[in-house]
Every structure is written in structure tokens, then in C-alpha cells.
Amino acid sequence: MSKEDPEKEPSWKSDFPIEMKRGTHVSRREFAKFLGLLSGAFALSNGFIVIRAMAFPDKPLEGEHFIVNAEEVPVGEMFQFEIQGGKHIPYILIHLEENEWRAFEQKCTHLTCAVRYQKDVNQIQCPCHNGWFSADTGEVLQGPPPRPLPQLDVAVRDGKVYVREEQEANENV
């Protein structure tokens, strides 16, 4: 395809006379503009998340909720459940010993990975980054989680297990 023979050259080449090298080249200015726009979009989306969290805070769990019959969860075992409400938050119910129960949010406080109760060591493990929590208190024992697991109060009446929002220890003071 020589320049002297325009009939063999496709017609679109005369309509778009840009060389391939110029068409694929990205200048530093164009790249910096793209990065600036992308960073601005990320900043706006993070700002939206913060504003939404401040304008619509999570409501505390109201009342008591039936979870399971006590005989369905053997000692040393875990039971997963969700409480229906504004959000679907997964929880775990742990039957530690006879008449000793704990309920925690199942989302790790580091990156919200699902945590699991390990009965052989009596601890709660986050397998994503090897975080460990106390099965008695939910306190962080090891790893990157910054806060303890949110906990619910557990009550057993007439062979039925109920949970409610944790009552403050200093409520009666």
C-alpha cells in the first residue's frame, strides 16, 4: 500500500488520518488527569459512606429475640443466626459450658470476615488474617482486629435461648 496508489488504501484511512502510534500514546498530562479524576471519585464515594453513617446511625436491637431451643446446641458447639431488622447482621451463639452461653456478631472487627468458634482452644478465630478473640468476653487476643467483637446478652428460660442488646454494666450506678 503505497501513497501513490490511493485506490488500494481503505477509505477509512483517509477519513481518519491518525497514525497508530499517535492514537495509542497517552501523555503524562492525560494520565495525571485520569488519576486525579479517579482519586476524586474515590474521595466522593468515601465521603458519601461517612455522611450516610452519620445521618442514619444503626439502631440498637430492641427487645428480646428467640434464637433456638437449648437442647439443639450441644455444649462446646456454635449456632449461627441472624436477627431480622433494618439490617441482616449474622451472629454466633456459643454454648461454652452447662448454663453458660455467649452471643457475638459474626463479623470480625478488622475487615468483617466471618469468625468461627474453635472449641479445642475455646477461642473465636478470624481465618482471614489469623485474628483471635476470647470466647468468654469477645476481647482481642491476637492479630489485627482493633476492637472486641460486639456481644449480645443471652438468657435461657424454659429450655429456650433468647438474646437482646447488651445492657451497660454501669446502668444501675
Side-chain angles (χ1 to χ4, degrees):
M1 296 188 191
S2 66
K3 296 262 183 193
E4 286 109 36
D5 191 11
E7 319 238 296
K8 290 188 177 183
E9 192 171 279
S11 61
W12 63 266
K13 282 198 173 196
S14 62
D15 293 337
F16 301 101
I18 299 174
E19 299 173 18
M20 180 61 107
K21 185 178 179 185
R22 277 188 58 210
T24 58
H25 177 71
V26 177
S27 69
R28 281 185 279 177
R29 181 176 296 210
E30 290 170 336
F31 184 66
K33 188 189 318 180
F34 169 75
L35 287 180
L37 291 172
L38 186 64
S39 298
F42 282 141
L44 283 174
S45 64
N46 284 331
F48 172 75
I49 291 169
V50 169
I51 290 169
R52 192 182 84 192
M54 292 174 77
F56 305 103
D58 290 340
K59 294 178 185 171
L61 189 63
E62 293 179 6
E64 223 172 44
H65 299 269
F66 169 74
I67 301 304
V68 68
N69 292 319
E71 72 268 3
E72 294 179 37
V73 184
V75 173
E77 294 298 318
M78 172 183 99
F79 180 78
Q80 294 176 273
F81 66 96
E82 285 186 2
I83 296 176
Q84 304 301 323
K87 289 183 180 178
H88 296 280
I89 300 174
Y91 293 94
I92 56 173
L93 175 71
I94 305 169
H95 193 174
L96 294 174
E97 294 176 16
E98 198 62 40
N99 298 325
E100 197 171 336
W101 299 80
R102 299 289 187 278
F104 299 100
E105 216 173 269
Q106 194 184 15
K107 297 187 299 184
C108 178
T109 57
H110 178 229
L111 292 175
T112 68
C113 296
V115 297
R116 304 287 301 170
Y117 174 63
Q118 303 294 329
K119 66 180 172 182
D120 55 333
V121 292
N122 193 35
Q123 294 177 354
I124 301 168
Q125 179 194 22
C126 175
C128 294
H129 299 104
N130 201 27
W132 290 87
F133 300 89
S134 166
D136 291 318
T137 63
E139 294 292 322
V140 177
L141 300 174
Q142 169 188 319
R147 296 176 310 282
L149 289 172
Q151 186 172 359
L152 299 175
D153 282 339
V154 181
V156 181
R157 287 190 307 277
D158 301 323
K160 297 183 183 307
V161 180
Y162 298 89
V163 298
R164 68 175 177 261
E165 189 74 28
E166 187 176 35
Q167 303 300 313
E168 293 297 322
N170 298 331
E171 198 173 73
N172 297 335
V173 177

